[in-house]
Amino acid sequence: MSFLLACPNCGVREVSDFGYGGEISSRPGAGADFRQLNAYNYFRRNVAGVQREWWFHRSGCRAWFIAERDTRTNRVMFTALPKDVPPGGDSGPAEGPEPKRLAVS
Amino acid sequence: MSLEFLTLDAPAVARSPMERQARAAGARFEVRDGWNVAVDYGAPEREREICRTAAGWADVSHLAKLELQGDHGLAGVTRRGGAWWCPVSDRRALVLGARGSMPGPDETEPEARVHVVEVTSNFAALTLIGPLAREVVARFCALDLRPQATPVGSLRPGSVARQPGMVLREGEHRFMLLFGWAIGEYMWTVVQDAATHLGGGPVGQSALEGADA
Amino acid sequence: MSRLPEHPGERIDRQKVIRFSFDGKTVEGFEGDTVGSALYAAGRRTFSRSFKYHRRRGLMCCSGQCPNCIVAVDGAPGARACTEPLREGMRVEHLNARPGLEFDAMRATDLVGGPFTPPGFYYKTFIRPRRLWPLYEKVLRHAAGLGRLPRQQPERMWRTEYRRRHADVLVVGGGVAGLEAARAASRLGADVVLAEEGPELGGRRLVDEAGEGIAALAQDLRAGGVEVLTRASALGYFDGIVPVWQGDTLHQVRARRHVFATGGIEQPLLFAGNDLPGVMLSDGARRLASLYSVKPGSRAVVVTTSDRGLHAALALHEVGVEIAAVADLRQLSGAPAQDLGERGIRVLPRHTVVEARGGKAVAQAVLAPVGGEEADERPLDCDLLVVSGGSAPATSLLLQAGARTAYDAARGGFALSELPDGVQAAGEVAGAGEPDSVAPSGELAGLEAAHAVGLGDERSGARVPELREALAVARAGRPAVAVPPPASGARRGKCFACLCEDVTSKDIAYSVKEGYDSIELCKRYTTVTMGPCQGRMCQLPSIALMAQETSQSLADVGTTTARPPWRSVPMGVLAGRPIDPAKRSAIHGRHRDLGANVKWAGDWRRPYDYGDPQAEALAVHHGAGLIDVSTLGKLLVRGAEAGAFLDRVYPNRFSDLRPRRIRYGVVSSDAGRILDDGTICRLDQETFYVTTTSSGAGAIEEWFSWWLADSDLEVRLTDLTQGVGAVNLAGPRAREIISAVTDVDCSNEAFPYLDARQGRLAGVRCLILRIGFVGEVGYEIHFPAAYGEHVWDALLEAGRPYGIRPFGLEPQRILRLQKLHVLVGQDTDSESTPFGAAMPWIVKLDKDGDFIGRSALEHYARETPATSLVGFTMSDGHVPSEGAVVVDERGTPAGQVTSSRYSPVLGRVIGMAWVPSALARDGVSITISDEGQKLTAELRTRPFYDPDGEVLRS
Ligand code: FES
C-alpha cells in the first residue's frame, strides 16, 4: 500500500512516513462494564467507506493528526490537527474528533 | 535543579557519532569550541573542487541546536545572527547554528512561555554541498527537494534513509541533513555509499568555509 | 549473412564490426545491432527453449514484449536479445536447455508429456509419498524455469541506484503521442520526465518510417528541459509512484500528473504450431528489415486481421522477401490490398492460418478459409510466417492507476472506458493511434496535464477545445472495423495461448472442465499471463479461448486484474541497498575496541557480552560493573500539569513525587495490559525525566503524545533518547569509584536510594539516578551523548583499582533474574496485567480521577488472574529453554517459562515462569516440559539475591 498523506505541519509525504493510529473510537467513562470495555479495547467498526482516523507523522514532525479517508480507495478527504478538525459531518463518526479524551478530575 | 545536565560545557572533547568513520576516511581533526571537528581530509584543494563539481559531505554534528516549545511566533524558517530558526509545528521549533550564534535566554522570551531545551546531541548532522548534492540525497530520501518545492531556507521533516530526519536547504547546492545521534554511523554509510558512486567525497570544515566565502 | 543492401534509416554502422560470443562461439555483428539482430543475421533461428516443453522459440516481436528471446548476458539472466545492444566482447548464453540449445534432452516433455502434463499436474502427481517431495522438487526445479543465477555473487555485482525523482508530469511512452505530450507540458513550464521502454524513441513511427522526424522532436524536448529516459520501463503504478527501471538505475518517479502513451501491442494468432521459430509478428519482421537491415526470411506467408499485416507484406516485398500469400481474416481488406495486387501478390479474404509446420523452424503454413473444411486447406511452403492479430492497447499501467476498460466490438479488444483523476492517456492506448490523431492526442494530454498542475495560459486553454474537435473529426471519419476474435483450430498440434508458461489452448479447455471457468481462476490454475511477458502476448488470446470454451462473449469473460510489474524485472533491482539502519550508542566505538560481542537488540546494535558473561556478572557482585544503557528511552515531560498527566498515563501516582526523587512506573493500556516500564524522576516542580525500556522508547513517546494530542493539558514532551547517553555503574565498589570522579556527595546519607542528583562527573554535567536493577548499589548516569566515550573511559579508569568490568546484556539478564525483575516483552506479553505479573502494588486504585486502564484494572483487581509470574529454581543443573511449557499433573499445558539462566553467584539455575495462580507459592514444585523432557522446578516468589533490598539501599 502506498498513498500520499498531507501532514498538517509538514505537507505531503508518502504514507510510509506515517504511523497509523486506527479509527477514532469512543472511550467509555468511569465505571464502564466489561462488555463496553471489551468493545472499546478489542472491537473496531472496520468501515468499508469513509472514516476518521488517527495518524502519526513518525518520520517527520512526530505530531498526531486526524485524517478522513475512504478505506476502499485510500482517497483522503482532509487531514487536520485535532484542534482544527471540522465537526462530525455525515462521513465521520458521531462522536466527533476527541472522544478518547481522559476525563479531567 | 532542572536541565543543567543537558548543557555541553565540559572541559572534555565532545565527539560526533561519525567521528570514527571520518577518521577512517582520513580526516584531520582540530578541537574547536570543545568539539573534535574534521578540518580537512588531507587535501583541502581537492575537497573544494569536489564541492564545486560533484558533492562533498561534511559532518556538522557539532552545530548547536535548541528546541523551542510553545508559541515561538515563527512563520517560516528565518536566519538570525548566523543561526537557522526553523519552525517544525506551531508549537515547536529548532534553532541551529554555531555555538556563538545561539540565542541567549532573554532572546527566547520566557514570558511568551517558550520552553527551551538543549538538543545539540539529539541530532547529528551532515552537510551535502555541490551541484550533485540533490542527486545524492535523492538516492536515499524521497523528499521533494526541487527548488520549486523546497526553496533555499526551508526545512523538510520527513523520512531520510528510512529513518526520521529533516532536510534544511541552506543554499542552492547545499543541504543539511538532521537525524538521530544514534544513527550517525548508519547515515554516514548511506551518504558515503550514494555520494561516492556519484563522484563525491568527504570534505572538512575548511572546504565548507571555503564554499561559504 | 542475410543483410540487406544499405538503406537510409538503418541503425547499424557497417564499418564497425562487433565481436561477441553466443554459447561460447564468436559471432560478429555491427555497431547499432542488437544481440537479436546480429544473431539472426548470422543465421540463428532458435533463441530459447520454452519453459515446460523445451520447444524451440525464435524472435517473434523484436521489441522486447514476448518471452522468446530471453538470454543471459555476462551471467545475468533475463535480458531480451532483441533489444539488448551489442557490445564488444559480451558473453551471451541461452537459458533453459540442457545440454544445449540445439539438442535439448528435456524436449522429451513435449513429445510424450503433452497429454500427461496438464496444468497443475505436479501438484496432483507428485504429492505421494510425501517424504519424496524434496526429491521431486529438485527434479522439477531442474526441469522448469528460466535460467539460473550465479551461485555466488560479490555483493555489488549488479549495483542498482535508487533515485527518487519528483516531477510535475511523467509521460510513459516515447512514441509520437508521448513526445508530443511531453513537449506540450514542458512548453507551459512543467517539469517533465519521459520514460520509453525501448532503446529508441519513436514508437510505431520506427516501424513505419524508421523514426523519421523523431530525433528532431527529441532534441527539442531535451533542450526544453525534459528528462528523457530510454530503455526505461515503467514497472507499475503505486498510487502515484511509478518505478522506472533503467539498466542499473531504478527511478522512483513521483509525479503530480501522469500521461500514459503506452501504445498498443501487436497480438499473435492462435493456431497449431504458432510458436515455431519463423512465426513472427508483422512489426517484428519489419523492425529486423528496416532498423537492422536483416532479411527476416526469403519466402513469407502473411496472416492478418487488419491493414497492419498488409502494410507489412508490402514492406517485406519491398526488401526482396517473396510473399507466397496473404491471408486476411476480414471479408474486405483495406486499401493496401490494392497495392499488393499491383505487385502480383494475392490477398485471400476470410482466410486464416490453421497450422504451422516444420521441425527446427517454419517450413510450411497451412491456410484455410475461416470456418472452412479440411478439404479447403492449402499448405504453402515458407520460411517466415508473418502474423498480425491486431493491436491490444497497453492499458496495464492505466488499469493499475484505476482506469477501466470495456470490450469494444468495433476494435475487437478491450479499450479504455474510464480514466481516474490525475491521469491522462494519449495515442494508441487511448484509441488515437492513427497518423491523423496521434500527435493531437499527445498534445492534448500534455496540455491537460500541465493545466492540472496549475500551468498554462489563455492560448493553451483555447488550444484544448481545438484539439478535442480535431480528434473527434478524425474519429468520426474512421470506419469501424470489427475484427473477428482469433481463436482457431486446436485440433492438431499444440496451439499456444501463452508462450511464457507454455499454456496451450487445450490447457485452457482443461481448466474450464476442471471448474476453473472464470478468467481469474483460469489464470491462477494455468498461470496464463503470469510469465515474463506479463500478459502482453497472451491476455487477449486467453480471454478469446475462455470465451470459446464457455460460450460467452469476450465482454462477459472480461479481463484479469492488472498488477505490477508490467515488465519482468530482476529481483536485485527491487532489493534495495544492503545497509541496515542500526542505532548505536555514542559509546559503541568503545565496545568494539573492547571486543564486545555485538548483536541486534530491537533497532540497536548492542554488546551482549565482552567475552565472558558469567565473569562479567560476578564482577558486579565482587567489585563493580559498568553497562551502557544509552538505549533506554528518555522523555522529558514538562509543564504545569506534567504531574497530572503522568498520574493519568500510569496506574500509580507521580504528582506527589518530590523533586529529586525517583519512582518506578508501569505503563498499562486501556485494557489494563502492561505496555512498558521504567523510572520517573522529578527534576523540579514542572519537570519529569521519564525512562522507558530500550525497545519501548519510540512507542511510549507516541503513546504519550497521542494522549496529549487532543487534550488541553499544559504539558510538553521532548524525546531525549538519542541525545542523552547513559551508563549504569553497579557493585559493592560503585560508590568509591563514582566518588573518585564526581563532585556529587555520593554517601548513602547524602544520596540515598531512589534519589537523583545533578553535578559534574569527569568534568561532564550529569544526572545521576540512584537506582539499580542488578542487585547491587547502583548509579545510573545520564549525560550529553557527545561525551559518551569520555564518561565511559573515566569510569573504567577510576574503577580499575576496584576490579571494574564492562558488562553486556547477557550478564545483565542474569543479574536481573536474580532479583526477579520483570523484563517487559520477555516475561510479559500483550495479555499480561500488573496483577498477573505480581506487581499489584503498582496499581493505585485509590488515586483520584481517571487514568488509562483504570476501568479494566478495577475489574482485574477483583478477580484472581488465571496465571501468575513467579520465580523458580531447578533441582538439577538443567536450564529449561525460554518458552518451555509448564504442565499440570495431567500433562496439560498450564503456563510457560519466560526467562532462565545459570546464576554463577548462586551456583544454580533460576528462572521466571507463568504458572496457575493457585500454585504460585514458595516451595511448590512444578513440572516443566521442555522438548519432550520432563523437568522439576521449585517456585520462589521472592528475589533470589538480596531479597529485602538491603544491599541495594546500603
Ligand atoms: S523477440 Fe525479443 S522479446 Fe519478443
Side-chain angles (χ1 to χ4, degrees), chain B residues 82-94:
Chain B
W84 291 105
W85 292 58
C86 312
V88 176
S89 70
D90 57 354
R91 309 284 299 163
R92 212 175 128 220
L94 278 179

Side-chain angles (χ1 to χ4, degrees), chain C residues 910-954:
Chain C
I910 56 172
M912 262 196 263
W914 288 84
V915 302
S917 295
L919 301 180
R921 281 172 284 116
D922 279 293
V924 171
S925 132
I926 57 159
T927 307
I928 294 168
S929 166
D930 188 9
E931 288 171 16
Q933 265 183 295
K934 292 268 185 289
L935 311 167
T936 306
E938 190 182 304
L939 298 187
R940 290 282 298 269
T941 60
R942 306 196 62 226
F944 295 98
Y945 187 83
D946 185 27
D948 296 315
E950 286 153 1
V951 175
L952 199 60
R953 282 171 233 273
S954 64

Side-chain angles (χ1 to χ4, degrees), chain C residues 448-484:
Chain C
E448 285 182 327
H451 291 161
V453 299
L455 298 165
D457 48 31
E458 223 166 275
R459 252 186 50 213
S460 71
R463 182 88 177 116
V464 169
E466 277 171 40
L467 289 164
R468 286 224 177 96
E469 177 65 25
L471 286 169
V473 169
R475 206 174 306 124
R478 209 150 18 242
V481 277
V483 184

Side-chain angles (χ1 to χ4, degrees), chain B:
Chain B
M1 167 144 161
S2 188
L3 296 173
E4 293 100 25
F5 76 102
L6 298 176
T7 311
L8 288 120
D9 63 356
V13 175
R15 294 174 197 279
S16 149
M18 297 172 275
E19 184 186 298
R20 283 171 185 246
Q21 285 157 301
R23 182 169 296 126
R28 191 172 64 81
F29 289 96
E30 263 174 30
V31 176
R32 293 185 179 177
D33 264 351
W35 284 82
N36 218 20
V37 174
V39 180
D40 60 51
Y41 287 78
E45 207 26 69
R46 213 184 67 83
E47 291 162 38
R48 253 170 246 137
E49 179 67 15
I50 286 176
C51 297
R52 270 195 305 274
T53 58
W57 75 89
D59 182 357
V60 292
S61 303
H62 56 273
L63 290 180
K65 296 137 210 142
L66 294 180
E67 183 186 81
L68 312 184
Q69 283 204 5
D71 303 319
H72 50 66
L74 292 165
V77 174
T78 46
R79 191 102 167 121
R80 276 188 214 163
W84 291 105
W85 292 58
C86 312
V88 176
S89 70
D90 57 354
R91 309 284 299 163
R92 212 175 128 220
L94 278 179
V95 185
L96 359 136
R99 196 140 291 273
S101 66
M102 286 292 108
D106 45 323
E107 285 167 83
T108 45
E109 297 169 66
E111 69 273 20
R113 309 255 331 131
V114 173
H115 292 240
V116 182
V117 184
E118 159 84 57
V119 290
T120 297
S121 54
N122 263 31
F123 299 99
L126 283 171
T127 287
L128 274 150
I129 180 165
L132 293 181
R134 181 150 69 89
E135 254 325 299
V136 171
V137 180
R139 292 296 182 274
F140 50 79
C141 173
L143 289 167
D144 186 354
L145 300 179
R146 294 175 302 153
Q148 58 266 51
T150 303
V152 173
S154 33
L155 179 83
R156 295 283 172 262
S159 171
V160 178
R162 294 181 285 153
Q163 295 292 312
M166 299 184 201
V167 179
L168 173 68
R169 186 172 204 151
E170 293 185 281
E172 196 196 341
H173 296 307
R174 182 167 173 157
F175 300 86
M176 191 197 294
L177 313 180
L178 288 148
F179 43 89
W181 202 259
I183 59 164
E185 186 176 323
Y186 163 70
M187 284 300 297
W188 176 284
T189 312
V190 166
V191 170
Q192 182 178 40
D193 175 73
T196 312
H197 198 74
L198 291 172
V203 300
Q205 281 306 302
S206 34
L208 220 50
E209 282 151 17
D212 282 340

